[in-house]
Amino acid sequence: MPKVNLTHLDLAFMAIYVLVLVAWGLFHSRRKSAEDYFLGGRGMTWPLIGLSMFAMVVSSSSLVGWSGDAYSTGISVFNYGISAAIIPTIFFIVFFLPFYLRNKIFTLPEFLEGRYDARSRYYLSVITVIGYTFADAAVTLYAGAIMMKMVFPGLDLNLLIWGLAILAASYTVIGGLSAVMWVDMIQSCVLIGGSILLTFTAFSKAGGWSAVMQAAPADHLSLIRPVNDPSVPWPTLFISLPMLGFYFWGLSQAMVQRTLSARDINHGRWGNLMAAALNFAIFFIMVLPGLAGRVLFPHLEKPDQVYPKLVFEILPPGVTGIVVIGFIAAMTSTLSSILNSAQTLVTMDVVSKLRPNMDNKAQVRAGQIAGFIIIIIAALWAPQIQKFDSIVKYFQQLLSYMAPPVVAVFLAGLFWKRASATGAFAGLLSGFGMAVLLLL
C-alpha cells in the first residue's frame, strides 16, 4: 500500500475543485427540451466535443492500467491509442457521422430500427444499459473508491462509492449532456496538467530520460511485438484492435453522443479529429511514467501499484492534490458520460416508445428518474466487484465477444442493401450468447 501524505493544501485544492466542478456543471445545465437535455441543443462546437471525448477516453482505470502495463510489458500498450483510435476515427467521420447527423438521431440503436426493425433497437438498447450499469459504471465507481481509500483510509469503501456516485450524478442527472461536456472541458485540462506534472517529476526523480531508457529492457521500448507476445502481438494491430476501436469510437453511445450534439458536420468531424490527436498525448504523460516507475520502484508485486506509488510518494505537497484531482476528473468524466448515455437510451429507446405522446418536459423528467435509478443500482453493485479476480482482463474478453457482431450489423446496414432484419437480430444475439458462455 503506497504511503499517503496529503497536506492541508492538498485537501484544500481537492475541496475547492469539487465545489467549482459541481457549480460549473449546474451553471451550464440545459433541460428545456429533450434535445437540450440529451444532446445539448445540438449546438456544441468542436473544441468542446474534442475535449469531452478525450475525457471519456481517459478513465480512472486507464490511468492505472496504462502505467501498469508500461511497467510490466513496455510501451506496446499504446497500440490501443494508435490502431484502436486513428483508423476507426477516420472511417467513422467519413461514412457514419454524415448519416447520423443528417437523420438527427438521438441514439445509435435508433439507426438499427430505421435500417432493420424495432427488435434490434430494443435489444441493443437494453443490453447496452445493463452493461453500462453493472459493468462500466460499477467498475468505475469501485476503481475510484479504491484510489480514494488510499487518500482517506479511515472512510468505509461503501461510503466512498456513494460519495463519488453523488458527485457525478449531482450535475449529470440535473443538467444533462451540456453540463457533462462543459465539466469535461475543465476535467480534460486538469487531467492533462496533472499528468504532465507527474511525468516530469517521475523522470526527474529517476535520473532523466537516458537513465529511464537504459533501465528499460530492449523489448519494452518496441511498439511492434512478436506474434507470441502475451500483451499486444503484432497481428492484433491490424485485426482485433481496429475492430474494438471502431466499436468504441464509432458505435459506443457514450462516445458518439458527443458528436451527435455537434452544431454541424464540420464541428463533429473536427471534434473527433481533436480527440484522436489528443490521444497521442497519452503516450508521453500516462504511458512513459510507467517506465520511470521501473527505476523508482523496481520490485513491485503488482504492476498496477506503480501509478498510486508515483502519485503519493514522489510528488511535493500541493502537487499531489492536483494529480489526485486529475484522477477524480478521469473517474467522474467517465462515470458522467456513461450515466448520461444510459439515460438517453432508456428514455428515447424504451420509455418514449412505450409512451409515444410524451412531451419534452416529460421526456426530461423520465431521463432524470432513469439517471437516479441507474446510479443507485451501480453504487449498490460496485462493492461486489472486489469478489472477482482480474476484472480488467475479464471485461476485455467480454467486449471481444460482443463488439464484432455489433460492428458487423452496423457495417452491413450501411453498405449492404440485402442485409436482413432477422440476420441482424441473430447477429446481435450471437454476441450476447458468447458473452454469457464466457460468464459461465
Side-chain angles (χ1 to χ4, degrees), residues 223-256:
L223 286 172
I224 309 299
R225 305 300 288 268
V227 70
N228 61 346
D229 183 77
S231 179
V232 190
W234 69 262
T236 64
L237 305 183
F238 309 100
I239 305 173
S240 58
L241 287 187
M243 178 76 71
L244 293 176
F246 185 74
Y247 177 82
F248 180 75
W249 287 82
L251 299 179
S252 167
Q253 179 71 26
M255 282 293 286
V256 178

Side-chain angles (χ1 to χ4, degrees), residues 141-160:
L141 283 172
Y142 177 72
I146 290 296
M147 183 74 167
M148 298 312 295
K149 182 74 172 175
M150 300 177 188
V151 181
F152 304 106
L155 296 182
D156 181 71
L157 184 68
N158 288 328
L159 181 62
L160 291 170

Side-chain angles (χ1 to χ4, degrees), residues 349-414:
D349 288 342
V350 180
V351 178
S352 292
K353 297 293 286 186
L354 296 175
R355 298 181 59 191
N357 296 323
M358 292 176 66
D359 58 19
N360 279 308
K361 186 176 180 180
Q363 288 178 326
V364 171
R365 188 183 304 114
Q368 292 174 330
I369 294 172
F372 281 119
I373 293 173
I374 289 166
I375 197 66
I376 289 172
I377 294 174
L380 289 172
W381 178 253
Q384 305 302 316
I385 303 297
Q386 59 191 319
K387 297 180 181 179
F388 295 89
D389 295 325
S390 188
I391 195 68
V392 173
K393 292 187 182 299
Y394 160 74
F395 280 118
Q396 286 178 339
Q397 294 179 40
L398 193 66
L399 187 62
S400 70
Y401 284 112
M402 297 192 67
V406 175
V407 173
V409 167
F410 271 83
L411 290 176
L414 192 64

Side-chain angles (χ1 to χ4, degrees), residues 28-70:
H28 287 283
S29 297
R30 297 184 64 174
R31 50 186 184 272
K32 290 183 179 180
S33 68
E35 197 167 74
D36 279 342
Y37 185 76
F38 295 113
L39 292 178
R42 297 189 192 269
M44 297 301 180
T45 58
W46 66 268
L48 202 57
I49 295 170
L51 288 172
S52 184
M53 292 180 71
F54 178 73
M56 173 62 191
V57 170
V58 186
S59 65
S60 53
S61 57
S62 297
L63 285 174
V64 175
W66 282 323
S67 297
D69 274 9

Side-chain angles (χ1 to χ4, degrees), residues 113-189:
E113 182 178 24
R115 176 57 181 84
Y116 299 113
D117 59 17
R119 291 178 303 171
S120 297
R121 177 179 183 177
Y122 290 143
Y123 175 79
L124 183 59
S125 294
V126 171
I127 291 301
T128 301
V129 171
I130 292 173
Y132 279 166
T133 304
F134 289 95
D136 299 83
V139 169
T140 301
L141 283 172
Y142 177 72
I146 290 296
M147 183 74 167
M148 298 312 295
K149 182 74 172 175
M150 300 177 188
V151 181
F152 304 106
L155 296 182
D156 181 71
L157 184 68
N158 288 328
L159 181 62
L160 291 170
I161 288 173
W162 281 101
L164 294 172
I166 292 171
L167 173 60
S170 62
Y171 63 88
T172 304
V173 174
I174 296 174
L177 183 63
S178 178
V180 171
M181 292 181 68
W182 279 100
V183 167
D184 282 349
M185 182 185 71
I186 296 180
Q187 305 271 51
S188 296
C189 296

Side-chain angles (χ1 to χ4, degrees), residues 28-46 48-49 92 96-108 110-111 121 175-179 181-182 253 256-268 340 344 348-349 360 363:
H28 287 283
S29 297
R30 297 184 64 174
R31 50 186 184 272
K32 290 183 179 180
S33 68
E35 197 167 74
D36 279 342
Y37 185 76
F38 295 113
L39 292 178
R42 297 189 192 269
M44 297 301 180
T45 58
W46 66 268
L48 202 57
I49 295 170
F92 169 73
F96 274 83
L97 178 59
F99 181 87
Y100 290 162
L101 295 183
R102 184 170 60 249
N103 289 275
K104 293 187 176 296
I105 63 174
F106 277 83
T107 70
L108 299 189
E110 191 176 338
F111 163 80
R121 177 179 183 177
L177 183 63
S178 178
M181 292 181 68
W182 279 100
Q253 179 71 26
V256 178
Q257 191 161 337
R258 281 133 183 76
T259 307
L260 299 180
S261 72
R263 179 176 297 175
D264 55 42
I265 190 170
N266 286 328
H267 281 278
N340 180 256
T344 308
M348 306 310 295
D349 288 342
N360 279 308
Q363 288 178 326

